[in-house]
Amino acid sequence: MRLLLRCLRIGQRHRFWPTQKVWQLWLYGRLCVRSLLYNSFTDSDTALDALFEPVYWLVDHITRWFGVVFVALVIILTSSVVCIVYVCLLPLILRTYPLPWIFWHFIYGHWNLVMIVFHYYMAITTQPGYPPQQSRSDIAAVSICRKCIAPKPARTHHCSICNRCVLKMDHHCPWLNNCVGHFNHRYFFSFCLFMTMGCIYSSISGWDMFWEAYAAIEKMKLLAKERLQVTANQTYGQTPPPTFTFHQRAFHKSVVYAWVLCSSVALALGALMIWHTVLITRGETSIERHINRKEKKRLQKKGKVFRNPYSYGPLGNWKVFLGVERKRHWVTRVLLPSTHPPKGSGLNWDTAPCVPEQKTALLAI
């Protein structure tokens, strides 16, 4: 009996030995993986970013290759509206409007068009600014870019689409096929501002023309339906309804197309322009908005108040952004095309000479 029990124990040991071995190997492998991937700074945001990394990669590559298409689309749509204004609307304005209104439309319309074309061209062709690849003693680097493996000055961020670090980066704009940074931020905002103004101006001034053209198109549809009924009933004794000429049909459809396009752009681009107006007033970029919001919450938990170190007050921020140093610069540098560079090199951020020195601490308890 004892011999039988001993044989059963030996059999159970040999039967469970492979299972224990596999379990130990599993625990050892899991420990190795955790030790290799362990990071004390890892949180839910980092894990979420890692999960969406393939999506980011796909969006970056699509935006990079389709940037030229977006720029061509902006040029084609803008040119189509300008052509409609010159071919269809301008002769009508010259025939029906009084002389003061003709003078106003001629002056304001051409000024707005020049400002749109100038700032869009400059926003596309002007580089946003890039930090030097090697460390310099006169540049205060706040961190090291983990992708470029190079010093990163303050307000500098890495663009995954351009695959470079950009000075005072705001965002990568596919409609410009370029990053919006330190040296072309003013051109980008001015383009958004004047394009929104031009679209609102076109929508308001063409409101009556739009409704007349829309009513004419509805009448064309009704007449076309009546002609089909006459043809189907074979009533040749009846007088067929009058038809619109090709020029009339093209005129009415062009007016409706231009008005709908300008109104849609005014709403979409106007919202973007208002958002950037708020950011500029606060002395922030789009990226810094998210960073400062997290920093504000972090300091609130410690009983501190966050102060933006790059804000000089609402008026001071606009002076720095627009490069206004004298009163005449509001006209020569804001209301007229100007290629003046922004304040500073984008590598170091000091108080601008047109703004009084800040007397309060950056972090006030």
Side-chain angles (χ1 to χ4, degrees), residues 210-242:
F210 164 73
W211 280 111
E212 292 175 1
Y214 182 78
I217 292 175
E218 292 297 321
K219 187 177 181 181
M220 281 190 286
K221 294 180 180 179
L222 181 62
L223 292 177
K225 186 181 297 185
E226 291 179 359
R227 289 182 66 85
L228 290 175
Q229 292 177 354
V230 169
T231 305
N233 296 330
Q234 299 292 327
T235 54
Y236 295 102
Q238 297 181 0
T239 302

Side-chain angles (χ1 to χ4, degrees), residues 118-172:
F118 170 78
H119 287 101
Y120 188 67
Y121 174 78
M122 294 301 297
I124 292 175
T125 58
T126 303
Q127 291 186 348
Y130 308 107
Q133 294 297 317
Q134 296 181 353
S135 178
R136 286 166 44 181
S137 58
D138 58 336
I139 300 176
V142 296
S143 62
I144 300 294
C145 179
R146 62 180 181 179
K147 296 184 179 181
C148 296
I149 316 299
K152 252 194 342 184
R155 312 187 79 176
T156 300
H157 302 279
H158 186 89
C159 176
S160 57
I161 300 174
C162 298
N163 199 23
R164 298 186 66 176
C165 284
V166 177
L167 299 175
K168 193 194 169 188
M169 179 181 174
D170 188 89
H171 69 287
H172 184 96

Side-chain angles (χ1 to χ4, degrees), residues 216-284:
I217 292 175
E218 292 297 321
K219 187 177 181 181
M220 281 190 286
K221 294 180 180 179
L222 181 62
L223 292 177
K225 186 181 297 185
E226 291 179 359
R227 289 182 66 85
L228 290 175
Q229 292 177 354
V230 169
T231 305
N233 296 330
Q234 299 292 327
T235 54
Y236 295 102
Q238 297 181 0
T239 302
T243 59
F244 285 84
T245 63
F246 173 79
H247 180 269
Q248 290 175 330
R249 293 197 301 269
F251 174 82
H252 295 312
K253 292 180 179 179
S254 298
V255 171
V256 172
Y257 160 78
W259 191 90
V260 171
L261 179 60
C262 290
S263 301
S264 303
V265 173
L267 291 175
L269 197 61
L272 179 65
M273 187 267 297
I274 292 174
W275 166 249
H276 280 274
T277 301
V278 174
L279 293 178
I280 295 169
T281 305
R282 295 174 176 176
E284 298 175 328

Side-chain angles (χ1 to χ4, degrees), residues 188-359:
F188 164 77
F189 176 80
S190 298
F191 164 72
C192 294
L193 173 64
F194 290 112
M195 178 62 84
T196 303
M197 291 172 56
C199 290
I200 293 175
Y201 159 74
S202 301
S203 299
I204 294 176
S205 59
W207 174 257
D208 295 333
M209 295 183 185
F210 164 73
W211 280 111
E212 292 175 1
Y214 182 78
I217 292 175
E218 292 297 321
K219 187 177 181 181
M220 281 190 286
K221 294 180 180 179
L222 181 62
L223 292 177
K225 186 181 297 185
E226 291 179 359
R227 289 182 66 85
L228 290 175
Q229 292 177 354
V230 169
T231 305
N233 296 330
Q234 299 292 327
T235 54
Y236 295 102
Q238 297 181 0
T239 302
T243 59
F244 285 84
T245 63
F246 173 79
H247 180 269
Q248 290 175 330
R249 293 197 301 269
F251 174 82
H252 295 312
K253 292 180 179 179
S254 298
V255 171
V256 172
Y257 160 78
W259 191 90
V260 171
L261 179 60
C262 290
S263 301
S264 303
V265 173
L267 291 175
L269 197 61
L272 179 65
M273 187 267 297
I274 292 174
W275 166 249
H276 280 274
T277 301
V278 174
L279 293 178
I280 295 169
T281 305
R282 295 174 176 176
E284 298 175 328
T285 62
S286 299
I287 298 177
E288 291 172 353
R289 170 62 177 167
H290 300 288
I291 296 175
N292 292 346
R293 185 168 55 183
K294 290 183 178 180
E295 187 68 11
K296 183 178 179 181
K297 292 180 179 179
R298 186 183 69 85
L299 292 177
Q300 281 181 347
K301 295 178 180 179
K302 296 183 177 181
K304 298 181 180 180
V305 178
F306 174 76
R307 299 287 180 86
N308 184 9
Y310 309 116
S311 176
Y312 309 116
L315 182 59
N317 291 331
W318 280 104
K319 286 183 177 180
V320 172
F321 179 79
L322 298 174
V324 175
E325 299 176 355
R326 300 182 180 90
K327 291 184 179 180
R328 61 184 177 87
H329 288 167
W330 290 104
V331 177
T332 59
R333 294 188 173 183
V334 178
L335 299 181
L336 295 176
S338 176
T339 58
H340 66 279
K343 283 293 179 184
S345 61
L347 301 174
N348 299 310
W349 295 94
D350 300 323
T351 304
C354 59
V355 179
E357 289 285 345
Q358 288 182 328
K359 296 182 179 179

